Amino acid sequence: MSEISRADVEHLATLAHISMTEEELTTMAGELAVIVDSVKKVSEAVSEDVPATSHPLPLTNVFREDVVGEVFTEEQSLLNAPDAEDGRFKVPAILDEE
């Protein structure tokens, strides 16, 4: 087990201005000890033989050729628009222009 004592937890709770009962201090000491031990186990697995990874599976980017396809004309694009002006969609103003 880790060296996290009830006194350590009480000191940390005081620094963090957290009010804890005696039972909570004892429980938290046990839980923090388990967490610290788990981190130690993971740290033991790190060695020069094990490469650092950011993802468990290799990531590859899939790019496709950027090819221009069928393009709508201005008239087709604005055909079902509720309102248009000067070849653009016209929308209600949301910002005050002063």
Side-chain angles (χ1 to χ4, degrees):
M1 268 314 245
S2 174
E3 297 297 321
I4 302 288
S5 68
R6 191 199 149 289
D8 293 333
V9 175
E10 184 175 10
H11 177 67
L12 290 171
T14 302
L15 291 175
H17 301 286
I18 297 174
S19 169
M20 297 181 82
T21 65
E22 295 296 322
E23 182 182 332
E24 289 173 329
L25 290 170
T26 304
T27 303
M28 186 62 68
E31 291 175 357
L32 287 175
V34 170
I35 291 170
V36 169
D37 288 341
S38 297
V39 170
K40 283 182 184 177
K41 285 181 186 176
V42 171
S43 297
E44 289 171 2
V46 177
S47 70
E48 292 182 20
D49 298 339
V50 179
T53 58
S54 61
H55 298 284
L57 301 173
L59 298 178
T60 57
N61 289 327
V62 179
F63 295 105
R64 64 172 172 77
E65 194 65 34
D66 192 12
V67 178
V68 177
E70 184 179 338
V71 180
F72 289 124
T73 65
E74 182 179 309
E75 292 80 24
Q76 289 173 321
S77 297
L78 298 173
L79 183 66
N80 293 320
D83 198 7
E85 184 177 292
D86 297 328
R88 297 186 177 118
F89 291 99
K90 186 173 180 184
V91 296
I94 59 169
L95 302 175
D96 293 329
E97 292 185 24
E98 297 179 14

